């Protein structure tokens, strides 16, 4: 569903478990398909197929709320422009 990277350690979160590998964010980003994976902040890459909702500055991936940096928010919306399955919701609850 998503990957968190801290230095040279990447934690791959799936629905059932978490795997740890030694890899930098840059190396990982190069290996993942750009159409499916999106880096939403300095340390997290999400799989857009598991993105349920965008609410305020958070991406809801599975049951996880992942912060979207201000500089990446517009880029994320552009990446989602073709995907009508994701719900974008503002802080007042309106879409």
């Amino acid at each position: 569903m998503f990957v968190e990277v801290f230095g040279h350690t990447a934690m791959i979160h799936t629905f059932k478990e978490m795997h740890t590998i030694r890899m930098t964010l840059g190396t990982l980003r190069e290996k993942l398909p750009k159409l499916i994976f999106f880096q939403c902040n300095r340390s997290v890459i999400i799989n857009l197929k598991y993105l349920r909702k965008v609410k305020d500055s958070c991406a809801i991936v599975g049951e996880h709320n992942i912060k979207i940096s201000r500089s990446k928010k517009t880029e994320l919306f552009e990446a989602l422009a073709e995907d009508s399955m994701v719900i974008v919701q503002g802080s007042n609850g309106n879409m």
Side-chain angles (χ1 to χ4, degrees), residues 26-66:
T27 302
L28 188 60
R29 195 174 53 233
E30 289 173 5
K31 293 181 180 286
L32 295 172
K34 290 176 179 39
L35 294 175
I36 298 171
F37 292 90
F38 180 80
Q39 182 180 348
C40 58
N41 61 47
R42 288 183 179 191
S43 61
V44 178
I45 298 173
I46 62 173
N47 183 329
L48 294 173
K49 290 183 178 183
Y50 295 101
L51 178 62
R52 289 189 3 215
K53 185 184 340 183
V54 176
K55 183 175 181 182
D56 300 324
S57 293
C58 285
I60 313 299
V61 180
E63 298 299 319
H64 302 273
N65 293 339
I66 298 169

Side-chain angles (χ1 to χ4, degrees), residues 2-32:
F2 68 97
V3 180
E4 289 181 285
V5 179
F6 301 98
H8 292 276
T9 303
M11 293 184 292
I12 302 168
H13 296 263
T14 68
F15 276 110
K16 296 182 180 182
E17 53 195 16
M18 185 178 70
H19 304 277
T20 303
I21 59 172
R22 281 204 45 82
M23 191 175 293
T24 65
L25 182 73
T27 302
L28 188 60
R29 195 174 53 233
E30 289 173 5
K31 293 181 180 286
L32 295 172

